[in-house]
Amino acid sequence: MIVCLCKQVSCKDIRSAAGNGVETLRDLSRELGVATQCGKCAQCARGILQETLRNSAGGEDVAA
Ligand code: FES
């Protein structure tokens, strides 16, 4: 599913960025351009990023 329409970034792209060391929305914006135009995707993109980081941490809670 496309999360950021402006930059055509999918949830898969976000998950893969999280696996490559991206930990914050700011990193994500720098790497993929997410939320750099209209910004409507920011909340959703952050949610997917945090969920992915939580899962990859083996279920431990990552500070929001
Ligand atoms: Fe992501 Fe517009 S949808 S910046």
Side-chain angles (χ1 to χ4, degrees):
M1 183 184 96
I2 295 294
V3 174
C4 177
L5 289 175
C6 298
K7 294 291 183 177
Q8 294 293 299
V9 176
S10 68
C11 19
K12 194 174 161 195
D13 295 328
I14 293 174
R15 291 200 184 101
S16 129
N20 288 327
V22 168
E23 293 183 339
T24 64
L25 186 63
R26 182 177 293 203
D27 292 343
L28 205 55
S29 298
R30 199 169 30 235
E31 291 289 319
L32 303 176
V34 169
T36 56
Q37 287 194 14
C38 75
K40 286 181 182 169
C41 57
Q43 198 175 345
C44 183
R46 184 187 289 118
I48 293 169
L49 181 62
Q50 288 177 348
E51 182 193 319
T52 306
L53 293 173
R54 244 194 325 269
N55 290 342
S56 67
E60 285 174 34
D61 226 12
V62 175

